Amino acid sequence: MLIDTPTNGTGTAGTTTTAARRRHDDAPDTADLFTRMAELEEGPEREAVRDELVALWLPMAHRIAGRFRDRGESLEDLKQVAALGLVKAVDRFDPSRGAFESYAVPTITGEVKRHFRDRMWALRVPRRVQELRNKVRVARRELTQNPGSPEPSVTDLAARTGLTEEEVGAGLEALESFSTLSLDAELSADDDGYSLADTLGAADASYDVVVDRESAKEGLRRLPERERAILYMRFFEDMTQSRIADHLGISQMHVSRLISRSCARVRDEAMGQRTGARDGGSTSTTA
């Protein structure tokens, strides 16, 4: 209950005190509504009071969202995030612990900041690196706030933040990770201009050949000498199975079976499907 007392200005001491307590025009007096909501059980009546509180404080949430405009996110989306933070603040507020505005402002601000931290990175970086980025950003802003201040070095930033130079370097790299550059972006203004995609390397099929060759090498060593000779004549000298059969004095069908069996054995060992090769044992094949 307010008691009117004389003042040097117009109005009453009570209304002056109330005005001083409200820092913004969008901070309505809703103490009675919060007390009422706290006393109500879950149900339609409590939901109606809750909705009324959210509607009354929504202008303040929108004002907080406006602080983060021009940071790569649309203002309408930021208002939606701030409204979500407001709903959380209304649901969690305990009217016995003070003014709602003192609780709601950091809650809504934190919700908007989390949105930027978790949703706005074009390139996803670990949470720890994001924290390094924030420390480096604040330190660099503090060191360059005076006109004519030079760009701080890594050593200066490390001294300011208490981080190591390696951590500062990671934070500086993260400063450039908030947005990405299109692969179609032009990197040269000349007539023969090229895009970022033109500077990227392509997969070299020769690497697969090297890997396959090295994988098969040990399996080939384990084959009996005659089978190695057959594979060499077939795949390196390009001899037909008939010529190989005549050269070795065996049937063409036998040559075909030996080639199929040898290739399957080498392939299995290369893929790690045989245990005999891992035990260091050797097997021999007889005609």
Side-chain angles (χ1 to χ4, degrees), residues 9 32 78 97 99 102 114 141 144-145 153 222 236 247:
D32 292 340
L78 291 177
R97 295 195 173 187
S102 300
R114 277 191 295 273
R141 183 180 62 204
T144 58
Q145 62 183 354
S153 65
R222 295 178 183 276
F236 290 88
H247 181 76

Side-chain angles (χ1 to χ4, degrees), residues 8 16 37 40 50 58 74 86 115 117 125 132 195 202 204 239 284:
N8 292 333
T16 301
M37 187 178 76
L40 292 172
R50 175 177 177 267
L58 195 58
S74 69
L86 171 62
H115 174 75
R117 183 190 66 195
V125 298
L132 293 177
S195 67
D204 191 338
M239 295 174 60
S284 60

Side-chain angles (χ1 to χ4, degrees), residues 201-213:
D204 191 338
S206 299
Y207 286 121
D208 292 334
V209 175
V210 172
V211 172
D212 292 342
R213 181 179 298 169

Side-chain angles (χ1 to χ4, degrees), residues 146-186:
N146 296 326
S149 300
E151 183 68 20
S153 65
V154 173
T155 302
D156 296 333
L157 293 171
R160 183 78 174 187
T161 59
L163 303 172
T164 65
E165 293 189 4
E166 182 179 353
E167 290 172 330
V168 170
L172 290 172
E173 290 180 0
L175 284 173
E176 308 300 328
S177 300
F178 198 78
S179 60
T180 56
L181 185 65
S182 171
L183 290 176
D184 296 326
E186 291 290 334

Side-chain angles (χ1 to χ4, degrees), residues 244-263:
I244 297 173
D246 293 340
H247 181 76
L248 297 178
I250 58 178
S251 69
Q252 179 183 345
M253 184 64 69
H254 197 174
V255 171
S256 178
R257 288 199 302 267
L258 289 175
I259 291 175
S260 298
R261 185 169 59 190
S262 299
C263 289

